[in-house]
Amino acid sequence: FERFEQARSARTRTVKGTGLGLSISRSIVEAHGGHLWAEPVAEGARFVMVLPAEPAPALLESDASTAAVQIQEGPFATVLVVEDDVETAYVIKSLLRSRGHRVLLAVNADEGLKLARHHRPSLIVLDVRLPDVDGLALAEIFQHDPDTSHTPLMVISGFDERDRAFRLGASAFLRKPLQAAPFLASVDGLLRRPVQ
């Protein structure tokens, strides 16, 4: 995303350009209160853009000539999101990146456990409905694993599974669809909490 930078490969060696496209794109997206990032895939990269449904209050209050979006520099914390629904995962990632956090995504329990053990995140956001195992069974594993037992765990679900989630070690529980303000307030609270 740096200006005048281009990826070079055998396929793109003859492609002409200034290396400004991604930098300009990111500036436009961030000026609208959104986020743009790249995700690696088998053959290259996938670019993901998330825009808010409504403009930020700061954009509405200032005139167009002076409007600016404050993007926090980070990362402040590493957050692991274990969520099999790609759209939901990217929305959560965008919200966390708006706070400057580094975000790791896992689409199943096995991948989530590997990433948690390797990166030791500051927070884990875990969906209850995963394709390979019940998310709350994974929550119990996180609570008993020495690498993750002290990591705050936010459980999210489309169903009211609050009691079961807290019994199995959740630090917080939120119902889907997630609302940005309560989600970020909960994240901020969990990350400020002293480690036990």
Side-chain angles (χ1 to χ4, degrees):
F1 289 94
E2 297 297 321
R3 284 184 284 179
F4 308 112
E5 290 290 329
Q6 290 181 303
R8 296 285 182 210
S9 70
R11 268 189 330 187
T12 63
R13 197 172 323 161
T14 59
V15 177
K16 293 184 179 182
T18 60
L20 291 172
L22 287 175
S23 177
I24 292 170
S25 298
R26 179 178 264 179
S27 297
I28 292 169
V29 170
E30 289 179 350
H32 286 86
H35 300 284
L36 176 67
W37 68 86
E39 297 280 343
V41 293
E43 297 197 16
R46 169 186 16 225
F47 293 89
V48 182
M49 176 182 69
V50 179
L51 292 169
E54 297 179 9
L59 291 176
L60 294 174
E61 291 168 6
S62 59
D63 65 61
S65 63
T66 60
V69 177
Q70 295 296 321
I71 303 298
Q72 292 182 327
E73 295 298 323
F76 294 112
T78 297
V79 181
L80 170 61
V81 177
V82 186
E83 166 65 72
D84 66 318
D85 180 67
V86 176
E87 289 81 12
T88 301
Y90 284 145
V91 169
I92 292 171
K93 181 171 184 172
S94 177
L95 289 170
L96 291 166
R97 285 175 55 96
S98 75
R99 286 286 205 264
H101 301 307
R102 175 178 177 231
V103 183
L104 306 169
L105 294 180
V107 296
N108 58 49
D110 187 48
E111 187 178 331
L113 193 55
K114 285 178 186 170
L115 287 172
R117 287 175 172 160
H118 181 72
H119 294 279
R120 298 194 180 200
S122 304
L123 172 67
I124 299 171
V125 178
L126 173 64
D127 182 30
V128 170
R129 306 286 180 219
L130 295 175
D132 53 345
V133 73
D134 177 29
L136 291 178
L138 180 59
E140 196 169 14
I141 293 170
F142 283 140
Q143 291 307 302
H144 292 94
D145 189 303
D147 291 330
T148 58
S149 60
H150 296 293
T151 306
L153 179 64
M154 177 191 292
V155 174
I156 58 175
S157 176
F159 303 94
D160 190 0
E161 302 183 72
R162 179 181 313 271
D163 293 339
R164 188 169 159 238
F166 284 120
R167 257 194 333 271
L168 295 174
S171 309
F173 177 86
L174 290 177
R175 285 280 304 265
K176 288 180 175 181
L178 296 175
Q179 302 298 315
F183 172 74
L184 289 173
S186 186
V187 166
D188 292 345
L190 291 171
L191 290 174
R192 279 194 298 265
R193 201 176 71 164
V195 176
Q196 299 173 349

